[in-house]
Amino acid sequence: VQLVESGGGLVQAGDSLRLSCAASGRTNSNYVMAWFRQAPGKEREFVAAIAGNAHTSRYADSMKGRCTISRDNVKSTVYLQMDRLKADDTAVYYCAATPGSILVTGRNQYGDWGQGTQVTVSS
């Protein structure tokens, strides 16, 4: 599975941003798709995941209520809508994929990764 993220950039605190992840290869509704992020000097952390059928999703407590993950299996694209952004949300955001239906949150549980897209929130 090849993953390519886009949509990052420099925004002000309180702004919204939508990230996209275009998938190619053996992608289908049998893959769980997720977003992770990594801030400078910190470990990569889970943000959100969505099941292949798009009916269920899971969020990290730090982003719950401020972001929405969605997917379009026809376009093979996953999205992360982020609202009310804070300076602490500054990080490189990565898209990840794993086969199956369980919404796992560990980075070691995902085998396919994109190159990441930088999100910078100025306060």
Side-chain angles (χ1 to χ4, degrees), residues 33-48:
M33 302 295 294
W35 287 95
F36 285 73
R37 68 183 183 183
Q38 188 167 17
K42 296 186 177 181
E43 293 189 351
R44 192 169 300 188
E45 64 177 5
F46 171 78
V47 175

Side-chain angles (χ1 to χ4, degrees), residues 41-61:
K42 296 186 177 181
E43 293 189 351
R44 192 169 300 188
E45 64 177 5
F46 171 78
V47 175
I50 187 167
N53 61 12
H55 290 170
T56 57
S57 56
R58 186 175 182 178
Y59 297 92
D61 288 342

